[in-house]
Amino acid sequence: MKKKEGFLLIISGPSGVGKGTICKKIFKNEELNLEYSVSKTTREKREGEVEGKDYFFVSKDEFKKDIENDNLLEYTRFVGNYYGTPRDYCQEQIKKGKNVLLEIEVHGANQVMRRDPNSLSIFLVPPSLKELEQRIRDRRSESEDIIEARLAKAKEEIPQQVNYDYVVVNNTVEQAALEIERIITSEMSDRNSSGGGIV
Ligand code: 5GP
């Protein structure tokens, strides 16, 4: 019998909302069958980030080659840098029955949603913009210009939550992670009797 395919799980939300922390938490739940898609980016590595684990850090030339060769499922430019999702890896994992977690911003998420109606999308919102600003500042890894640019971007992104299947408020990591786990579990059981596919 053909193995049941997984689906693309998009988790978006403004920079600093806590996507990374929450994704790490839900990842521990093995029943969700998750596999993380490591993106390519042209931005500088932050302290503590690991090549191949947090991102594949590449040059602009390499990124452009990936675009030309259609190696990316989606990509975008965000605050001066490129970010993109490797296509082959996602397709392989989905065929193996994994649900592939894409932690991506809204522009890329829209590309995936348009091309793959079987994807599941969740938008994570901060309790308030003030709280978001504090979280970005607490990271202490970026200059004032970049912080301002990321906040301006957040104000553009937040209204786009209407395009997503679900919206979750990140009041606490525990509550938000639990809500997301429930959404995935319920979607997995709904999809068990239906087909799937990826572009
Ligand atoms: P950061 O520089 O904070 O790691 O990421 C900036 C933004 O880019 C975040 O919203 C992050 O989720 C998003 N991002 C990371 N990887 C990708 C990707 O492959 N594609 C898209 N479209 N966005 C990404």
Side-chain angles (χ1 to χ4, degrees):
M1 201 176 89
K2 194 168 175 272
K3 192 169 170 59
K4 177 90 190 151
E5 291 198 345
F7 55 86
L8 289 173
L9 168 64
I10 302 166
I11 300 203
S12 293
S15 174
V17 73
K19 294 184 294 268
T21 316
I22 290 170
C23 288
K24 272 193 197 106
K25 197 158 171 68
I26 61 173
F27 223 88
K28 290 189 185 140
N29 183 343
E30 288 179 7
E31 284 174 16
L32 304 180
N33 224 4
L34 294 174
E35 198 60 54
Y36 187 76
S37 160
V38 178
S39 295
K40 290 197 171 183
T41 184
T42 60
R43 87 147 157 72
E44 294 279 304
K45 202 193 269 185
R46 287 190 195 125
E47 211 182 301
E49 284 184 329
V50 178
E51 163 73 22
K53 185 164 172 273
D54 296 290
Y55 282 107
F56 295 106
F57 296 92
V58 299
S59 65
K60 284 209 165 101
D61 279 350
E62 190 175 334
F63 200 96
K64 282 184 184 150
K65 266 190 211 126
D66 277 330
I67 297 174
E68 280 163 23
N69 295 330
D70 202 22
N71 290 342
L72 302 171
L73 197 60
E74 61 73 36
Y75 70 93
T76 197
R77 202 177 147 91
F78 183 94
V79 191
N81 282 299
Y82 288 101
Y83 296 78
T85 302
R87 181 193 300 280
D88 285 355
Y89 181 78
C90 291
Q91 286 178 327
E92 278 161 25
Q93 295 304 317
I94 285 189
K95 283 205 185 97
K96 281 188 195 164
K98 292 286 185 182
N99 300 320
V100 180
L101 197 161
L102 310 180
E103 202 188 305
I104 60 178
E105 54 67 66
V106 294
H107 181 247
N110 283 331
Q111 295 173 46
V112 178
M113 287 180 216
R114 263 201 319 270
R115 290 181 198 155
D116 181 10
N118 197 46
S119 59
L120 169 64
S121 58
I122 301 177
F123 193 91
L124 206 54
V125 284
S128 69
L129 268 178
K130 212 168 159 20
E131 182 102 0
L132 186 73
E133 177 166 358
Q134 196 55 52
R135 287 185 197 172
I136 294 179
R137 291 191 182 284
D138 287 348
R139 212 151 59 183
R140 291 178 208 286
S141 59
E142 283 148 343
S143 66
E144 188 57 31
D145 281 3
I146 301 278
I147 291 173
E148 293 293 333
R150 281 178 181 265
L151 278 169
K153 194 83 181 171
K155 286 181 193 156
E156 281 172 36
E157 288 189 321
I158 289 172
Q160 296 202 42
Q161 60 186 271
V162 293
N163 298 328
Y164 286 69
D165 296 322
Y166 296 89
V167 176
V168 171
V169 182
N170 183 13
N171 286 307
T172 68
V173 172
E174 284 67 28
Q175 151 271 327
L178 198 66
E179 268 183 58
I180 293 177
E181 285 177 49
R182 285 193 184 131
I183 292 169
I184 302 170
T185 307
S186 124
E187 287 280 343
M188 282 170 75
S189 75
D190 285 356
R191 286 158 191 246
N192 246 343
S193 51
S194 62
I198 180 179
V199 283

